[in-house]
Amino acid sequence: MRLSGVGYRYGWRAPWVLTRVDLDLRPGGLVRVGGYNGCGKSTLLRIIAGAHRPGRGTVTGRPGGVAYVPGQLPPLPFKAQDYLRHCGRLHGLSAAESDERMLDWLERFEALGYRKHRIGDLSRGTAQKVAIIQALIAQPQLLILDEAWTSLDSLGQQTLDEAVRDSVQRGGRVVFADHDPQRLAEDATLYLLRDGTLHEARAGDFELPLVLIDLEDAPDPWPGPGRGRLLADDLLRIEVEPDGSDRLLREILSAHPDIHVASVRTVDGRAAAPAVKQEAEGTRPAQRGTGTASPPAPDTVRAAVPKQARRQP
Ligand SMILES: Nc1ncnc2c1ncn2[C@@H]1O[C@H](COP(=O)(O)OP(=O)(O)OP(=O)(O)O)[C@@H](O)[C@H]1O
């Protein structure tokens, strides 16, 4: 399958999101597309899936079985098992085949107990498992995953990693975007999408800088945005991407006068990666009350707000 000179914009007067994308997707190939928020990853993935027609350029050789997993499934009113059975039938499976594969995948994702629940009633992570299973059930020749790992627990993430590797080994093509710089890093051909075009990349290029915001008296668990982890008794570190940090700080300063911003620092994403990974595994570097702090990161202090000044009305 090949994309040649592909461009795309959302409307005649809108700017081009993709200007010129050339990409070969070979059988047994695993391709990762990275880049900053809004650079056009989802747009490109939807073009690859065939959901958008390119505004210019061509897409040729798209294989027969295509499955696409969006970042989030809408809150559908169907039971998970009815939806999956229906998807299996759409992919040409018999009812028996469809049920067998559905049950197998539900079990592998530890979601069997939710098969009779309505999708709209499921937690975000479990609904995401259903979205993934509807794609895997068909053993597609082209599998497209748009940040499909984001809401999954660590078992779900591992199961999806294995499913991707299996699909590639069977000769399928898999294209994905994801936030974790380490995701399938050793297996994938890497591209960064910048200025509407794809650039070949190396693993280190996916380690985006992070802003670390240390907060005193903040709620734990942190409701977001960003990832929170406890450094000491009352010190919570929030890791957030640069384009979200200013908004988050403004919100804390204006709407949460009881939370004290102890410091704000920018670090290379590589420096913070082990902590992010640790949290994805569901463990914490320190528990509340232990008083154990993380070693200082090799970072640049961007701002530190004195507690007294912060507390003044
Ligand atoms: N349906 C739409 N109508 C108009 N503009 C859109 C639409 N979908 C996306 N865009 C615009 O296209 C650009 C690329 O969006 P896209 O969602 O492809 O980026 P992305 O790299 O996937 O972002 P993220 O990392 O935040 O998921 C953005 O400027 C976005 O506002």
Side-chain angles (χ1 to χ4, degrees):
M1 174 174 172
R2 172 168 291 175
L3 281 71
S4 307
V6 163
Y8 190 86
R9 58 180 169 178
Y10 289 91
W12 286 108
R13 290 178 187 274
W16 290 90
V17 174
L18 305 177
T19 51
R20 184 179 178 86
V21 173
D22 297 297
L23 178 64
D24 276 331
L25 298 171
R26 301 199 176 87
L30 175 62
V31 166
R32 174 181 189 152
V33 179
Y36 283 103
N37 291 136
C39 69
K41 300 179 296 294
S42 297
T43 304
L44 175 58
L45 295 183
R46 286 195 291 262
I47 287 176
I48 293 170
H52 287 332
R53 198 191 295 219
R56 61 184 180 214
T58 56
V59 178
T60 52
R62 186 184 286 109
V66 180
Y68 168 70
V69 181
Q72 204 178 342
L73 205 59
L76 300 169
F78 319 115
K79 282 184 190 168
Q81 64 179 16
D82 297 342
Y83 172 72
L84 291 172
R85 195 173 285 145
H86 178 68
C87 292
R89 300 301 296 273
L90 285 181
H91 285 298
L93 302 179
S94 70
E97 269 177 325
S98 188
D99 277 9
E100 191 184 334
R101 290 191 195 177
M102 165 179 76
L103 294 174
D104 179 43
W105 279 116
L106 283 167
E107 201 170 345
R108 284 168 73 172
F109 276 102
E110 290 195 348
L112 199 54
Y114 296 101
R115 66 188 184 283
K116 294 183 181 163
H117 291 230
R118 287 189 333 162
I119 291 170
D121 296 338
L122 294 175
S123 72
R124 220 168 128 162
T126 309
Q128 188 59 22
K129 290 178 178 178
V130 174
I132 291 164
I133 293 171
Q134 65 77 24
L136 297 178
I137 212 169
Q139 295 188 342
Q141 291 176 56
L142 172 61
L143 174 62
I144 298 138
L145 302 160
D146 191 354
E147 298 179 359
W149 285 265
T150 302
S151 311
L152 298 182
D153 51 33
S154 55
L155 176 118
Q157 296 196 13
Q158 274 173 29
T159 306
L160 183 53
D161 285 352
E162 283 160 20
V164 167
R165 290 196 182 101
D166 287 352
S167 179
V168 166
Q169 262 177 3
R170 277 201 314 274
R173 301 160 175 87
V174 182
V175 190
F176 73 97
D178 189 54
H179 287 298
D180 182 349
Q182 309 296 328
R183 175 76 53 214
L184 298 164
E186 69 284 11
D187 305 311
T189 305
L190 311 175
Y191 294 96
L192 278 178
L193 186 55
R194 206 172 49 234
D195 302 328
T197 189
L198 283 180
H199 302 262
E200 283 179 26
R202 292 168 304 162
D205 298 332
F206 288 82
E207 313 280 2
L208 299 175
L210 284 175
V211 177
L212 307 185
I213 303 173
D214 289 350
L215 301 174
E216 289 171 16
D217 307 324
D220 177 46
W222 176 247
R227 302 181 184 90
R229 68 189 176 99
L230 205 58
L231 297 185
D233 192 20
D234 62 350
L235 192 63
L236 191 74
R237 173 163 291 175
I238 312 301
E239 296 170 349
V240 65
E241 288 177 20
D243 56 0
S245 63
D246 285 350
R247 209 166 95 199
L248 176 59
L249 278 168
R250 265 200 307 276
E251 192 187 320
I252 293 171
L253 292 168
S254 61
H256 301 284
D258 46 329
I259 298 177
H260 168 61
V261 181
S263 69
V264 182
R265 309 137 194 244
T266 304
V267 296
D268 184 325
R270 267 165 288 210
V276 173
K277 197 161 179 65
Q278 213 166 9
E279 199 181 52
E281 299 296 334
T283 57
R284 286 203 173 139
Q287 294 301 315
R288 193 177 278 276
T290 60
T292 316
S294 286
D299 48 18
T300 318
V301 176
R302 219 176 69 179
V305 185
K307 198 164 185 168
Q308 286 315 108
R310 173 71 191 80
R311 286 249 159 87
Q312 280 168 11

